[in-house]
Amino acid sequence: MIPEPRFPAEPWQVRETEIDFDQLAQAESVFALSNGHIGVRGNFDEGDPSGLPGTYLNSFYEVRPLPYAESGFGYPESGQTVLNVTDGKVIRLLVDDEPLDLRYGEIVSHERVLDLRAGLLRRTLEWCSPAGTRIRVRSERLVSFSQRSIMAIRYVVEPVDDTVRVVLNSELVANQPLPPASGDPRVAAVLDDALEAVQHAASEQRGYLLHRTRGSQLLLAAAMSHDIDCAGSVTQELAAEPDLARLTVATRLEPGSSLTLTKYVAYGWSAKRTAPALRDQVQAALITAVNTGWDDLLAEQRNALDDFWDGADVEIDGPEEIQQASRFGMFHAFQASARAEQRAIPAKGLTGSGYDGHAFWDTEAFVLPLLTATAPRAAADALRWRHATLDLARERARMLNFTGAAFPWRTIRGQECSAYWPAGTAAMHVNADIAVATARYVRWTGDSDFERDHAVPILIETARLWMHLGYDGDDGRFHIDGVTGPDEYTAVIDDNAYTNLMAAQNLQFAADVVRRWPEQAADLGITEAEVDHWRSAASRIALHFDGARGVHQQDRGFTDRQVWDFEASAKEGGYPLLTHAPYFALYRQQVVKQADLVLAMHWATDAFTAEQKAHNFAYYDALTVRDSSLSACTQAVIAAEVGHLDLAASYLAEAALIDLDDLEHNARDGLHIAALSGAWLALVAGFGGLRDQGEHLLLRPQLPQHWRRMAFGLRVQQSRLKVEITPGTVTYSLTGEEPLTLRHVSVGTDELLTLADGESVQRQWSPVVPLTPRPHQPAGRPPVTLSKNGAATRS
Amino acid sequence: MIPEPRFPAEPWQVRETEIDFDQLAQAESVFALSNGHIGVRGNFDEGDPSGLPGTYLNSFYEVRPLPYAESGFGYPESGQTVLNVTDGKVIRLLVDDEPLDLRYGEIVSHERVLDLRAGLLRRTLEWCSPAGTRIRVRSERLVSFSQRSIMAIRYVVEPVDDTVRVVLNSELVANQPLPPASGDPRVAAVLDDALEAVQHAASEQRGYLLHRTRGSQLLLAAAMSHDIDCAGSVTQELAAEPDLARLTVATRLEPGSSLTLTKYVAYGWSAKRTAPALRDQVQAALITAVNTGWDDLLAEQRNALDDFWDGADVEIDGPEEIQQASRFGMFHAFQASARAEQRAIPAKGLTGSGYDGHAFWDTEAFVLPLLTATAPRAAADALRWRHATLDLARERARMLNFTGAAFPWRTIRGQECSAYWPAGTAAMHVNADIAVATARYVRWTGDSDFERDHAVPILIETARLWMHLGYDGDDGRFHIDGVTGPDEYTAVIDDNAYTNLMAAQNLQFAADVVRRWPEQAADLGITEAEVDHWRSAASRIALHFDGARGVHQQDRGFTDRQVWDFEASAKEGGYPLLTHAPYFALYRQQVVKQADLVLAMHWATDAFTAEQKAHNFAYYDALTVRDSSLSACTQAVIAAEVGHLDLAASYLAEAALIDLDDLEHNARDGLHIAALSGAWLALVAGFGGLRDQGEHLLLRPQLPQHWRRMAFGLRVQQSRLKVEITPGTVTYSLTGEEPLTLRHVSVGTDELLTLADGESVQRQWSPVVPLTPRPHQPAGRPPVTLSKNGAATRS
């Protein structure tokens, strides 16, 4: 069976023309809108049918107990779960008394378009009711980038042949019934009836609901206001009750006329403010939006996106699917972060309730590299959120008898919510990921206020953690034992290469900021001796090389272990392995869930020679089953670096198309924001060859076969760098007040280029000659291939 | 504060003369009676007050869900919990309308005696009621070794000064209220109201209750019958309701007269039989007991114990506390197993609900060595139980994609009930422990029927498991990675020495039985090639030696890790470590919960030279915090072998006195049957130097300072060997039809002695000269010392 692509490959939009009622939830994730503060899934305006109704507010969560049949010291007692809040999307339509429900009657035509430049979800529908009445519906929906609290919808109904009676019910609905959670632990626990009604009100065309969560005691306000445009006479009625506010608009529409409802919805929530204060806040936001008006909201929306794309866009003259998917991914990464403003960027953004709405290391390791280089304000905000949780991280460290700070593996508000410590507490690398992302932001932006106020404490406290966790071995090296690296099929091991190398960077960066900010460091009790220890430990970090096999060990002893029987797993349909084999079996053998040593080769590029990279990649690629969505992009980056450009292109496709083609069969729960951001890494760090660890930005441009051109922008300091790669040639162009020096590398070339404002420099490149044959992937896990019609398929 | 010993050191009994109302539950465990089928805690006859009411039937359990906040493949979904069944112990006494409750009135005198030769709990009480009435109560209680279903009580009341009105309520009580379970995960989950009433009846002096568990659907019947002996006129009334049957006996007692109530209680349960069948069964048992009568039940009881002690007793002419405690331990080990009859021997026997009533590897590794050498029938029954669960173990292996059989880490009925896989599923050594215990039983008894029917399948299926779990490394050795050894502070590690050496024995024994029972082996599909692989793997088992430190590694890489900061733990009162530090911190450092490599040196004695043993012991003893009760006995065995006899004596005390002196502060939940059995190992394998791995039993006799004599018996094949050690001299004496060859070893001596029936041989011995100074234990964890007054204290 050759799969059909769900969405035609169009450069700036994602378009659906048919409805697959079995895949509603996937499309709802794809068509989700968000500004990082509010997130609304692409549910149909009419509410029904839906796969998973979803409206989310960043960091608005309920607590739930974490049960343990056998508990242990330091296990978190309660978790946090993102809540489906009051739904303001709902506009139910009755046509001659028949509710518009797409499962009934006839869909004459249907189209939904996610417009990546306008920041809109557009919909057109022609529907014939079971009674034979035909109508057209057009709707547009936005979640405003310019007005953080606002979602708005324009909904237009018109008759096709005959006069029809039309009734619209525009609603705010709290405590929507949700489908039961599946047995899959990755699907968020459903919390029924989580919102306790506090107040409700309705007047003129405005309705208002205020609720409080029962456990976390957060207040939530939602308010709506409407403009109605209709030539004929219209009856209106507004009512509110605890869980429902509803504006009813009834009219008769002659052919050629239409009813247009513009709905503005404002959200607010707080852990501290009072109900009246919160009510005033959403009323104010609502009035501002109404005064702005629909057209200006659209204009503001486009402005925000123009600004983003101007610096961020990656143009690809190659496979159209990849062009579309990479923009789709960047769009969603921007949506997840643009107005998150010192709150977390969850693994699924605000597109679904998967992973309980938690944020992981994914953000710092995969999303922030993209944002730092393209939307630095959003990156800063995400890191300010981590800084805001530093006291919680210090507390967690104290509780575990550690020094410094221990950031949570998974959380919404900052408290550790991981209930399985071998893949939670033990995954200490999250601390280095945060620290290194913090240092990276400072290096790219030169934001010294941020460095002083946020980077200094984060770097110092994480460095202290590493000094507590590590020790000097008899071999003179600095070791960190008993941790879990990125590869979750190998846990609680010694000297994980990625963890060690990132910890070393963390220590080094911490030492650097102490030198630059001695006063702030002194406030944290830093002594020179402490910093000397950091530098010494960083310089002596343990990294294990298996001389016999000629490869580095992902952890001490890794390559000595038995290799997983991939043939058997392939034969038995045993992927993903975590749902077919116990951790016990996975941990004890050589089998890699996701890039780990390969990830280390990306982010600690100088710790490996080109030859080591080539052999390491060949060895580990053959062991990596990519059961995590955080795999393919990194495999792509290193595949490109070691010269396997076709393989890199396949891995790029696997990352970029993960949600559009639902490669992991779980897009229903929300999009894979980190994997989508990773597609940008595959392009820019993979084919662009971008590395940012050295003194200067390094670029090692290449292009896969059959690609005619790739161009991408980077925001560096106050400038914009544009990189345009065509076969054999690369052009670097700078816009910005200060000159920029970059390092151009290609086969036989390693050159520093200094560009001034408006300057363009052209250089030649040639492809890296691979030192190994193209690696074989584990049996049953070939990378995706793009079929002739553009659909990605995984095997 | 110098602690007072709770119980005076008397050689054949444990006697209490005061009541500590805060320590009721500990005394209830100490005074528990059991025959391995029924267990009753030492609750007062009157029911109140109690620490933890407890009446248990072996393998009678309720199922309960095992919750996971983050689940994983292969996690058991439900657990099993021992139930407090219908209580037949209760005889409430009213004295002139005042209930006898020891918290009120005045206790003039109180004594309880556990008689280790009679198998009785005796009690005498003189009590003055709040109203000033004085009475004497004497009671005796037994759980019959000869009649498996029977408990019996004789209860005698007599006035002291004046005539008193006396009412006795003798009861069967179901669904007793229990104290809430503490936060300690080791305390069994309390299951309220677990028994559903099915039938009840009362007639003449008999009462009867039948219940069914709601989840596990097991039927339970309890019946009671009474004899009343009283000179005066007696009023009786018998009544039954769903959860209560009650005989009321009322009379007036003149001074000099008495009321004697003899109560017989019969229990039965079944997963398959019908209610009428079960009712008939307990009625029949009850009538048999009544016909036997109290005096003959006592006589049978003494006979059974005479027979046990005759072959098993260890006489010590040394510290009286140790003499008492070692007999106490052997008594409880016998109680836990005597009539278990193909059911499990739980970690707490039937003395409490700790660990949910589960059986662990403790039984095979610590209890069965004692039983095999002293009560072989009980050992065989325990192994037959394992054999009865072999199909469940095969199923578990299949589910995990293993070959062979995987026995559960903790269970009542045979299903895996461990909810924490790093210390459950991963502790694969349980399979070798079972296999080696099976082979040991065959070697000691020559029971070839058992070997053919039970040992062959157990050994073959466990051998197959090891072949699945292990692999040939590039170094030519056979490795077993990613398992957890006995030391639970080090988990999921590679090449655990104990696991590997025991697996090698398992493979070797399996190969041996295949040779002896080719037909049975063929039925299980064994090929010659398979057996060759076993032998080859066993001969090449990996064992890692750290040349720099001159010691073996508990697991690959163990000695390279950081050493735990014991000083800090000692300063902060941080013991036991598991309640003060996360697993994360424990697993990554050198800190040993319980004997692991030291255990390997006991049970795989030939894998180490004397010098290695000395240095290994010194190294690991300094790391072993003994937070598990399975530590001290093994440290004692090896301390003795390497010549640290004083230290061995301290560790012996720590094992033997664990419950009498409540050294772990959890005797309330039940006794530590394995640690108590371990005290026997400390004596017989420690000072006696018994090893049973070679062709002949080996004895390397020694005595600690100030001990004048130790004598112990062993049942070998059909004979009894008696070993008597006095300073410098050992005497071996045999009773039995076949001659026995044993190996006498001492400094400079290694001699085979063959003894015929009735023959005694005397040899000299001298103490082992230690090769290292006496090891220092971890800060804060010195071994117990016996204070002048005989109380053990841990620090």
Side-chain angles (χ1 to χ4, degrees), chain A residues 388-410:
Chain A
T389 67
L390 184 59
D391 277 343
L392 289 172
R394 285 183 173 122
E395 210 174 280
R396 171 93 179 140
R398 241 191 328 271
M399 201 266 277
L400 298 172
N401 304 320
F402 302 160
T403 56
F407 284 97
W409 177 244
R410 55 188 300 173

Side-chain angles (χ1 to χ4, degrees), chain B residues 91-210:
Chain B
I91 301 175
R92 300 191 203 276
L93 168 62
L94 275 90
V95 178
D96 286 346
D97 301 329
E98 183 79 41
L100 167 51
D101 183 320
L102 297 173
R103 290 167 296 191
Y104 304 96
E106 186 200 341
I107 298 170
V108 181
S109 69
H110 160 86
E111 187 174 87
R112 284 200 287 184
V113 174
L114 179 67
D115 185 323
L116 306 175
R117 275 184 295 201
L120 280 182
L121 179 64
R122 284 200 200 90
R123 175 191 186 203
T124 56
L125 170 72
E126 186 170 328
W127 181 68
C128 182
S129 79
T133 311
R134 287 170 80 122
I135 51 128
R136 280 197 202 96
V137 171
R138 282 175 289 128
S139 80
E140 293 184 319
R141 182 190 290 174
L142 66 83
V143 173
S144 175
F145 290 118
S146 53
Q147 302 191 22
R148 192 179 79 156
S149 315
I150 298 300
M151 171 183 69
I153 302 170
R154 172 157 281 184
Y155 192 91
V156 183
V157 195
E158 51 189 33
V160 177
D161 312 309
D162 303 310
T163 301
V164 291
R165 277 179 294 120
V166 164
V167 182
L168 288 182
N169 283 321
S170 172
E171 302 182 354
L172 294 174
V173 192
N175 291 312
Q176 278 174 320
L178 295 177
S182 81
D184 187 329
R186 294 168 296 185
V187 179
V190 169
L191 289 163
D192 290 337
D193 201 29
L195 299 172
E196 191 173 21
V198 175
Q199 278 184 17
H200 58 273
S203 67
E204 298 179 31
Q205 281 148 356
R206 297 209 182 126
Y208 160 89
L209 297 181
L210 197 132

Side-chain angles (χ1 to χ4, degrees), chain A residues 151-163:
Chain A
M151 171 182 69
I153 302 169
R154 174 156 281 185
Y155 192 92
V156 184
V157 195
E158 51 190 32
V160 177
D161 311 309
D162 303 311
T163 300

Side-chain angles (χ1 to χ4, degrees), chain B residues 579-696:
Chain B
T579 60
H580 294 82
Y583 287 123
F584 169 78
L586 293 166
Y587 288 1
R588 58 200 300 277
Q589 301 202 351
Q590 291 191 60
V591 49
V592 178
K593 185 181 180 191
Q594 64 205 96
D596 186 317
L597 187 82
V598 174
L599 189 67
M601 295 197 294
H602 178 191
W603 294 113
T605 186
D606 296 334
F608 306 88
T609 67
E611 203 183 346
Q612 287 170 345
K613 281 176 182 160
H615 289 108
N616 286 347
F617 179 73
Y619 187 86
Y620 285 95
D621 196 51
L623 297 172
T624 303
V625 293
R626 309 187 312 285
D627 283 350
S628 160
S629 66
L630 304 181
S631 313
C633 60
T634 304
Q635 300 302 110
V637 169
I638 303 300
E641 178 168 355
V642 301
H644 297 296
L645 294 171
D646 275 3
L647 182 57
S650 286
Y651 282 141
L652 161 63
E654 191 170 304
L657 294 167
I658 186 167
D659 289 317
L660 286 177
D661 284 346
D662 202 7
L663 297 176
E664 300 229 340
H665 310 295
N666 61 1
R668 61 182 181 276
D669 305 323
L671 302 178
H672 299 81
I673 301 299
L676 295 176
S677 303
W680 179 86
L681 284 168
L683 291 166
V684 171
F687 299 126
L690 173 71
R691 295 292 182 277
D692 62 1
Q693 291 95 344
E695 196 186 339
H696 305 288

Side-chain angles (χ1 to χ4, degrees), chain A residues 486-659:
Chain A
D487 167 22
E488 293 183 339
Y489 288 169
T490 309
V492 192
I493 34 72
D494 302 331
D495 282 335
N496 171 252
Y498 174 82
T499 304
N500 282 14
L501 291 169
M502 296 300 277
Q505 290 189 20
N506 188 344
L507 291 166
Q508 190 59 54
F509 289 142
D512 294 348
V513 293
V514 167
R515 199 185 51 219
R516 281 200 294 280
W517 301 97
E519 214 169 292
Q520 284 69 20
D523 286 350
L524 292 168
I526 292 291
T527 63
E528 221 166 293
E530 192 174 2
V531 177
D532 287 348
H533 281 142
W534 295 352
R535 287 195 199 281
S536 161
S539 69
R540 292 181 293 106
I541 198 77
L543 185 63
H544 298 273
F545 191 75
D546 178 339
R549 292 174 189 81
V551 296
H552 279 94
Q553 297 198 306
Q554 186 175 292
D555 60 83
R556 192 160 79 223
F558 182 85
T559 52
D560 299 328
R561 297 191 194 106
Q562 201 173 9
V563 174
W564 186 264
D565 186 347
F566 298 107
E567 293 291 345
S569 291
K571 243 179 259 159
E572 295 155 10
Y575 294 106
L577 296 176
L578 80 164
T579 59
H580 294 82
Y583 288 123
F584 169 77
L586 293 166
Y587 288 2
R588 58 201 300 277
Q589 300 203 351
Q590 291 191 59
V591 49
V592 178
K593 184 181 180 191
Q594 65 205 95
D596 187 317
L597 187 81
V598 175
L599 188 67
M601 295 198 293
H602 179 192
W603 294 114
T605 186
D606 297 334
F608 305 88
T609 67
E611 203 183 347
Q612 287 170 345
K613 281 176 181 159
H615 289 107
N616 286 346
F617 179 74
Y619 187 86
Y620 285 95
D621 197 50
L623 297 172
T624 304
V625 292
R626 308 187 312 284
D627 283 349
S628 160
S629 66
L630 303 181
S631 313
C633 61
T634 304
Q635 302 301 110
V637 169
I638 303 300
E641 178 168 356
V642 302
H644 296 297
L645 293 171
D646 275 3
L647 182 58
S650 286
Y651 282 141
L652 161 64
E654 191 170 306
L657 294 166
I658 185 167
D659 289 319

Side-chain angles (χ1 to χ4, degrees), chain B residues 354-366:
Chain B
Y355 290 118
D356 274 344
H358 289 170
F360 296 76
W361 71 298
D362 311 29
T363 302
E364 280 79 7
F366 294 88

Side-chain angles (χ1 to χ4, degrees), chain A residues 261-426:
Chain A
L261 181 75
T262 308
K263 179 179 190 177
Y264 302 90
V265 182
Y267 286 104
W269 71 267
S270 177
K272 295 182 184 157
R273 286 199 294 286
T274 60
L278 201 62
R279 181 169 175 169
D280 287 356
Q281 174 186 329
V282 293
Q283 295 288 77
L286 196 59
I287 289 167
T288 306
V290 170
N291 288 346
T292 304
W294 176 257
D295 292 338
D296 283 356
L297 276 179
L298 292 191
E300 289 175 4
Q301 191 79 342
R302 182 170 281 268
N303 280 344
L305 282 166
D306 282 350
D307 185 55
F308 171 65
W309 289 121
D310 185 34
D313 188 30
V314 181
E315 296 165 69
I316 295 168
D317 195 354
E320 288 165 0
E321 298 76 19
I322 301 301
Q323 173 68 82
Q324 178 188 41
S326 59
R327 284 188 177 133
F328 171 80
M330 293 174 73
F331 176 78
H332 272 293
F334 183 67
Q335 284 209 128
S337 61
R339 301 298 304 269
E341 290 169 17
Q342 306 198 34
R343 302 228 167 82
I345 302 176
K348 306 267 174 208
L350 299 175
T351 67
S353 57
Y355 290 119
D356 275 344
H358 290 171
F360 296 75
W361 72 298
D362 310 29
T363 302
E364 281 78 7
F366 295 88
V367 184
L368 293 199
L370 160 62
L371 295 179
T372 299
T374 62
R377 227 174 11 202
D381 270 342
L383 292 166
R384 280 194 196 99
W385 168 68
R386 285 292 192 186
H387 177 263
T389 67
L390 184 59
D391 277 343
L392 289 172
R394 285 183 173 122
E395 210 174 280
R396 171 93 179 140
R398 241 191 328 271
M399 201 266 277
L400 298 172
N401 304 320
F402 302 160
T403 56
F407 284 97
W409 177 244
R410 55 188 300 173
T411 190
I412 292 178
R413 260 293 286 126
Q415 291 86 351
E416 178 62 81
C417 296
S418 172
Y420 177 61
W421 77 265
T425 300

Side-chain angles (χ1 to χ4, degrees), chain A residues 67 69-70 73 75 401 419-421 469 471 474 481-482 494 549 560-562 579-584 587-588, chain B residues 67 69-70 73 75 401 419-421 469 471 474 481-482 494 549 560-562 579-584 587-588:
Chain A
E70 293 183 31
F73 180 88
Y75 285 15
N401 304 320
Y420 177 61
W421 77 265
L469 294 178
Y471 67 97
D474 288 353
D481 287 348
D494 302 331
R549 292 174 189 81
D560 299 328
R561 297 191 194 106
Q562 201 173 9
T579 59
H580 294 82
Y583 288 123
F584 169 77
Y587 288 2
R588 58 201 300 277
Chain B
E70 294 183 32
F73 180 89
Y75 285 16
N401 303 319
Y420 177 60
W421 76 264
L469 295 178
Y471 66 98
D474 288 354
D481 287 348
D494 303 331
R549 292 174 189 82
D560 299 327
R561 299 194 193 102
Q562 202 172 8
T579 60
H580 294 82
Y583 287 123
F584 169 78
Y587 288 1
R588 58 200 300 277

